């Protein structure tokens, strides 16, 4: 058994952001409720909740590769285990089912709300990848659906583990991240234009071209932070969340790389902007939680 091939099949780098989303999303929720003591009391549950969302993401990644074997070959992605033939489609399907069932079972074991979120994430993967829906090939519905599943919903899902999903905070922060994801999720398609064109996958970069899309990404990036500023100014979010403006720094760096047309590949299988996208997305959750954790110390020494 080629363990490396199975490891590559789940695309582990893409699982970091959803794991962190739940881990730090729970910290954020508990800190805002002044209930951080529950984190260590229920640490095992927190880890399983984090693994559940990472598993839902893994199921989606496998579904994507199952449906895209020929596209991956056309895009020169023969290093992927299905495209190279190292793993059969049938075995990959079994693994996708395993991750999907694990995510849903763990979700409902935690509570009905978190379990329902896991079902939504699995259904999102199905709608994105599988006919007759196949949102992946439909202009802006492809990136828009990912903005919802990877930007809007993870924080409310994490919030539901111990908190009230009717709270506005996770949804407002999620809407900021959704717009940011709508912009930068496009980085995954930059190196795939030729293969996507050949198989009728109309991604924004295929339709608009990279230069026009760069302007759209810049506009969406600006609007995401503008929306954050509006929420803060209106008092809809805690002033703690102003720390999220620090993420303007990596975003500006990404825009610099984008307008410079620097899409060099990295060993993580895609371009550098793709890696920065996932790392910065994780940064939203880490900074949001950290802003609540360090506030007492800032107050103490101010």
């Amino acid at each position: 058994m080629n363990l490396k091939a199975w490891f590559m099949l789940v695309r582990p780098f893409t699982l970091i952001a959803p794991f962190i989303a739940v881990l730090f999303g729970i910290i954020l929720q508990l800190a805002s409720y002044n209930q951080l003591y529950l984190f260590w009391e229920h640490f095992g549950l927190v880890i399983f909740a984090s693994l559940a969302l990472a598993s839902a993401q893994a199921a989606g990644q496998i579904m994507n590769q199952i449906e895209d074997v020929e596209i991956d070959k056309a895009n020169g992605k023969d290093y992927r285990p299905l495209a190279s033939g190292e793993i059969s489609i049938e075995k990959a399907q079994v693994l996708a089912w395993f991750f999907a069932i694990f995510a849903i079972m763990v979700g409902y074991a935690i509570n009905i709300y978190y379990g329902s979120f896991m079902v939504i994430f699995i259904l999102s993967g199905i709608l994105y990848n599988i006919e007759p829906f196949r949102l992946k090939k439909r202009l802006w519905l492809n990136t828009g659906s990912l903005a919802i599943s990877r930007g809007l919903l993870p924080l409310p899902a994490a919030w539901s583990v111990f908190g009230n999903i009717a709270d506005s905070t996770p949804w407002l922060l999620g809407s900021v991240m959704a717009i940011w994801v709508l912009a930068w999720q496009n980085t995954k398609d930059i190196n795939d234009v030729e293969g996507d064109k050949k198989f009728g996958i109309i991604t924004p970069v295929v339709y608009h071209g990279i230069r026009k899309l760069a302007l759209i990404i810049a506009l969406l990036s600006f609007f995401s932070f503008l929306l954050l500023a509006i929420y803060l100014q209106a008092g809809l979010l805690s002033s703690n969340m102003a720390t999220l403006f620090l993420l303007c720094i990596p975003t500006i760096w990404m825009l610099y790389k984008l307008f410079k047309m620097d899409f060099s590949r990295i060993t993580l299988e895609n371009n550098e902007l793709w890696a920065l996208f996932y790392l910065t997305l994780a940064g939203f959750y880490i900074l949001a939680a950290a802003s609540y954790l360090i506030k007492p110390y800032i107050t103490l020494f101010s």
Side-chain angles (χ1 to χ4, degrees):
M1 178 184 292
N2 189 339
L3 292 178
K4 182 181 178 181
W6 288 98
F7 186 71
M8 289 290 292
L9 182 63
V10 301
R11 302 184 67 199
F13 185 74
T14 67
L15 309 186
I16 295 172
F19 185 89
I20 286 178
V22 177
L23 181 66
F24 284 88
I26 288 175
I27 292 173
L28 171 61
Q29 180 270 311
L30 292 176
S32 67
Y33 280 36
N34 294 314
Q35 293 178 336
L36 271 172
Y37 61 89
L38 291 176
F39 181 81
W40 294 112
E41 288 183 9
H42 299 282
F43 184 68
L45 183 147
V46 171
I47 294 302
F48 269 102
S50 304
L51 288 172
L53 184 54
S55 295
Q57 171 93 346
Q61 294 290 0
I62 296 171
M63 279 190 276
N64 180 262
Q65 291 173 78
I66 289 171
E67 297 299 318
D68 288 1
V69 173
E70 296 305 318
I71 298 175
D72 284 343
K73 289 179 181 178
N75 285 324
K77 295 182 177 180
D78 292 332
Y79 52 82
R80 288 186 172 177
L82 293 183
S84 66
E86 292 181 88
I87 296 175
S88 68
I89 289 177
E90 292 75 18
K91 290 179 179 178
Q93 288 172 329
V94 171
L95 187 61
W97 274 108
F98 168 80
F99 280 122
I101 292 169
F102 174 83
I104 293 170
M105 288 183 64
V106 170
Y108 279 113
I110 291 172
N111 62 53
I112 190 171
Y113 300 109
Y114 196 66
S116 298
F117 272 113
M118 292 305 105
V119 171
I120 291 170
F121 288 123
I122 297 300
L123 287 175
S124 297
I126 292 171
L127 291 172
Y128 182 79
N129 290 297
I130 297 175
E131 296 288 3
F133 315 103
R134 190 74 159 143
L135 295 182
K136 176 174 180 171
K137 68 182 183 182
R138 307 182 194 283
L139 179 64
W140 284 108
L141 285 177
N142 36 36
T143 312
S145 65
L146 293 176
I148 293 172
S149 62
R150 297 180 181 180
L152 176 64
L153 295 180
L155 187 55
W159 205 272
S160 74
V161 174
F162 294 109
N164 184 354
I165 61 169
D167 289 347
S168 61
T169 296
W171 296 98
L172 293 173
L173 284 175
S175 67
V176 172
M177 287 186 279
I179 296 172
W180 194 88
V181 171
L182 183 63
W184 291 103
Q185 184 70 60
N186 290 290
T187 56
K188 72 179 179 62
D189 301 316
I190 288 173
N191 296 113
D192 298 343
V193 172
E194 293 307 315
D196 287 346
K197 277 184 181 178
K198 180 179 178 181
F199 287 91
I201 306 298
I202 311 302
T203 61
V205 68
V206 167
Y207 184 82
H208 297 291
I210 186 59
R211 295 192 180 278
K212 186 175 180 181
L213 181 61
L215 294 173
I216 295 172
I217 290 174
L219 183 62
L220 289 170
S221 299
F222 170 77
F223 187 67
S224 66
F225 289 106
L226 175 62
L227 188 61
L228 175 62
I230 292 171
Y231 289 156
L232 290 169
Q233 182 64 31
L236 297 173
L237 285 175
S238 166
S239 59
N240 296 5
M241 294 299 103
T243 57
L244 292 177
F245 284 112
L246 289 172
L247 295 171
C248 287
I249 298 171
T251 301
I252 290 170
W253 174 248
M254 292 164 71
L255 286 170
Y256 167 75
K257 300 280 286 186
L258 179 62
F259 281 99
K260 193 181 176 183
M261 300 295 156
D262 183 354
F263 310 127
S264 53
R265 287 187 177 272
I266 54 176
T267 55
L268 294 170
E269 90 159 35
N270 212 311
N271 60 67
E272 184 181 350
L273 284 174
W274 171 84
L276 288 170
F277 158 68
Y278 275 106
L279 292 174
T280 307
L281 180 59
F284 274 95
Y285 301 100
I286 295 170
L287 276 179
S291 68
Y292 269 90
L293 295 177
I294 66 175
K295 185 177 181 180
Y297 301 99
I298 295 173
T299 304
L300 180 65
F301 292 103
S302 62

